[in-house]
């Protein structure tokens, strides 16, 4: 037996999950007929049992991808035991759990964990577990995807993309494919190309800057950010990405490189006025504040709430002309 008899996948990112399965299938050197069955489709029950038990007499071997297994009733797993006895050369079942993890662990149904075949799969390492993308591992994913697309990133671009792209591999793939077209024929994604990447956080960062500078009430903005963090959507790093993008625009406007900034004339005038009032030295400090918040969270020294509160206090000082200590 050169491959697993069956396989369990625990990953909330469906795109990563199917890519992992494709790698396993490709490693066998055979052409597989992939049959996908969705567990939450009640009309697929007969098709499922047929796919797991009846081999194809004439065609290629069959990979059965049972998606959304977290929706299956507890009674399903004891019933599955008979199907998994013995090795079926022409049938390879993949059981895919795609619900979010809980406390850094996959949610494994108790009725499944008690089954002998699952314990056997654990012993044989026929289980793949991955929590999905995070702000910590997304730079590595973006780098690999860029390599796959045959493109490179200019200095600083990877960091900005890692902060603003969604933590969804399919969404990242689509954005990078779009950037690959924009980067042709040089095949290098530069800062100018990032204007085509939509912000994942529904906040006008320039209006935020003006509100900070004018001492306006920022409670609505902070409420949104902290609410989204508590619901698990992780808004700190997208906010930092927007901050970096706006800092770059202000830097260009403050240093006489305004032809490189493509904005509506009225908005460009407003941003130029803000850039001149801040000056290059204070604008440069925005990069320092972003780096401080990012490293504080990634090192474990600060949680996201603490990092955001610290960032807010220093932004107020920066825009009000006070000294900012890093």
């Amino acid at each position: 037996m050169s491959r697993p008899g069956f396989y369990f996948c625990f990953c909330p990112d469906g795109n990563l999950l199917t890519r992992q399965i494709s790698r396993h299938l490709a490693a066998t050197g055979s052409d597989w007929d992939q049959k996908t069955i969705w567990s939450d489709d009640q009309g697929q029950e007969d098709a499922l049992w047929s796919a797991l038990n009846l081999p194809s007499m004439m065609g290629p071997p069959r990979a059965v991808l049972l998606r959304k297994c977290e929706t299956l009733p507890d009674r399903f797993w004891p019933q599955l035991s008979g199907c998994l006895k013995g090795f079926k050369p022409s049938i390879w079942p993949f059981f895919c759990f795609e619900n979010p993890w809980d406390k850094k662990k996959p949610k494994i149904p108790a009725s499944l964990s008690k089954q002998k075949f699952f314990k056997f799969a654990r012993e044989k390492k026929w289980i793949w577990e991955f929590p999905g993308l995070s702000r910590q591992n997304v730079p590595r994913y973006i780098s690999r995807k860029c390599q796959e697309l045959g493109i490179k990133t200019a200095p600083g671009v990877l960091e900005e993309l890692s902060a603003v792209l969604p933590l969804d591999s399919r969404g990242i793939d689509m954005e990078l494919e779009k950037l690959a077209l924009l980067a042709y024929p040089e095949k290098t994604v530069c800062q100018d190309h990032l204007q085509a990447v939509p912000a994942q956080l529904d906040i006008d960062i320039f209006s935020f800057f003006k509100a900070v500078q004018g001492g306006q009430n920022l409670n609505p903005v902070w409420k949104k950010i902290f609410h989204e963090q508590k619901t698990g959507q992780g808004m700190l790093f997208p906010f930092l990405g927007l901050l970096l993008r706006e800092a770059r625009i202000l830097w260009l406007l403050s240093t006489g490189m305004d032809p490189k900034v493509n904005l509506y004339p009225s908005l460009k005038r407003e941003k130029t006025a803000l850039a001149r009032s801040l000056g290059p030295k204070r604008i440069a400090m925005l990069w320092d504040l972003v780096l401080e918040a990012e490293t504080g969270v990634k090192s474990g020294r600060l949680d996201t709430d603490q990092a955001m509160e610290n960032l807010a206090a220093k932004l107020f000082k920066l825009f009000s002309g006070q000294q900012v200590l890093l």
Side-chain angles (χ1 to χ4, degrees), residues 26 61 73 99 101 107 113 131-132 141 144 155 161 169 253 279 292 307:
N99 48 331
W101 285 26
K107 296 179 182 178
S113 62
Y141 181 82
R144 288 178 179 174
L161 286 173
S169 65
L253 293 173
E292 182 182 52

Side-chain angles (χ1 to χ4, degrees), residues 92-299:
W92 189 355
F94 291 85
F95 302 99
C96 308
F97 290 79
E98 303 170 51
N99 48 331
W101 285 26
D102 182 31
K103 297 179 180 178
K104 299 182 179 181
K105 292 183 179 180
K107 296 179 182 178
I108 302 176
S111 58
L112 169 61
S113 62
K114 296 175 183 177
Q115 302 303 316
K116 289 183 178 180
F117 62 79
F118 186 76
K119 296 176 181 177
F120 181 73
R122 181 72 76 184
E123 291 175 7
K124 301 290 287 184
K125 297 183 179 179
W126 292 355
I127 298 176
W128 179 67
E129 298 175 342
F130 187 70
L133 296 178
S134 66
R135 292 299 164 193
Q136 286 71 34
N137 63 28
V138 76
R140 184 168 64 252
Y141 181 82
I142 294 173
S143 296
R144 288 178 179 174
K145 185 62 181 179
C146 286
Q147 187 176 11
E148 181 183 315
L149 293 170
I151 57 176
K152 298 179 180 179
T153 55
V157 169
L158 176 60
E159 291 77 7
E160 192 163 338
L161 286 173
S162 300
V164 300
L165 287 177
L167 294 178
D168 169 71
S169 65
R170 189 177 299 279
I172 290 176
D173 290 352
M174 293 174 63
E175 291 300 328
L176 292 179
E177 287 164 7
K178 179 174 67 178
L179 290 173
L181 293 174
L182 293 174
Y184 186 83
E186 292 82 5
K187 297 186 178 181
T188 298
V189 180
C190 63
Q191 291 283 351
D192 289 342
H193 296 136
L194 297 185
Q195 297 182 48
V197 179
Q200 298 303 309
L201 184 58
D202 185 22
I203 293 176
D204 182 343
I205 197 73
F206 178 60
S207 296
F208 171 80
F209 280 172
K210 290 196 299 181
V212 173
Q213 190 180 40
Q216 298 174 24
N217 180 19
L218 294 174
N219 284 338
V221 176
W222 295 128
K223 283 182 179 179
K224 176 179 176 60
I225 292 171
F226 286 122
H227 169 73
E228 305 251 354
Q229 286 179 185
K230 289 175 182 176
T231 57
Q233 297 182 37
M235 288 296 104
L236 172 64
F237 286 98
F239 181 81
L240 294 180
L242 291 179
L243 197 59
L244 280 175
R245 185 181 299 185
E246 196 67 23
R248 176 180 174 271
I249 292 174
L250 294 175
W251 175 264
L252 292 173
L253 293 173
S254 71
T255 54
M257 292 187 280
D258 50 289
K260 292 186 176 182
V261 179
N262 297 316
L263 295 170
Y264 289 111
S266 59
L267 181 58
K268 190 171 183 178
R269 284 193 296 270
E270 285 189 78
K271 293 195 177 190
T272 300
L274 177 61
R276 288 173 178 169
S277 68
L278 288 173
K281 185 177 180 179
R282 288 192 174 275
I283 294 172
M285 291 193 71
L286 290 170
W287 274 273
D288 296 327
L289 294 181
V290 168
L291 181 62
E292 182 182 52
E294 183 177 354
T295 55
V297 172
K298 289 184 177 179
S299 67

Side-chain angles (χ1 to χ4, degrees), residues 20-45:
Q20 174 72 5
I21 292 173
S22 295
R23 282 193 288 268
H24 277 288
L25 296 178
T28 65
S30 301
D31 292 327
W32 290 82
D33 174 29
Q34 295 189 39
K35 183 174 182 59
T36 299
I37 298 175
W38 295 92
S39 300
D40 52 0
D41 185 350
Q42 297 180 355
Q44 292 287 303
E45 187 171 350

